[in-house]
Amino acid sequence: MLAKAMVRQIRMTPRKVGYVLTPLRRRTVAEALTLLSAVNRRAARPVAVLLASAFANAKHKDPTLRAEDLIISKAVANEGPRWKRFRAAGFGRANRILKRTSHIIVELEKKSHGA
């Protein structure tokens, strides 16, 4: 792992964020950012910002790096804390609503030129 970036408690479910992250794994940073610009999902914007942050972290370590030299080695969306809310139901009861949050982690590594 060359660089890492993490965002915590994003107000989206991990499953929906995972739909955006899955096609990005093992791609270069340049390809992934291009792909994210065309994805029509709400999770695409925070993932793109996070990926740019991870690339900036890598560039801070080695200023000669380019976006084509790095691949996404790890991209996961873990479950964060759930916000518990209640909604009125029939017969004077209350139904529980769980508003899920996500922790998103992106790790980058140098591209191996042998493959």
Side-chain angles (χ1 to χ4, degrees):
M1 176 189 68
L2 180 67
K4 178 180 180 178
M6 178 185 346
V7 64
R8 300 188 62 196
Q9 297 182 5
I10 289 288
R11 188 46 200 93
M12 287 176 225
T13 67
R15 184 175 183 172
K16 291 178 181 177
V17 176
Y19 289 141
V20 173
L21 290 177
T22 301
L24 303 181
R25 291 186 188 104
R26 308 308 299 167
R27 289 186 187 260
T28 65
V29 173
E31 287 175 354
L33 288 172
T34 305
L35 190 67
L36 283 171
S37 66
V39 171
N40 189 19
R41 282 190 172 264
R42 194 175 133 233
R45 173 166 275 161
V47 169
V49 170
L50 182 66
L51 189 56
S53 175
F55 178 63
N57 292 343
K59 202 141 174 73
H60 183 73
K61 286 184 179 179
D62 185 4
T64 62
L65 285 175
R66 297 176 309 150
E68 297 83 25
D69 297 336
L70 296 173
I71 62 169
I72 301 168
S73 60
K74 181 179 178 185
V76 293
N78 295 323
E79 190 169 339
R82 297 174 182 185
W83 296 355
K84 284 104 179 164
R85 300 291 182 261
F86 293 95
R87 176 173 287 156
F91 297 96
R93 291 173 298 174
N95 285 341
R96 189 177 205 179
I97 296 175
L98 295 176
K99 298 191 174 208
R100 290 172 163 78
T101 62
S102 302
H103 299 326
I104 310 170
I105 302 169
V106 172
E107 291 181 2
L108 305 177
E109 65 183 26
K110 276 194 178 179
K111 188 180 198 178
S112 61
H113 294 287

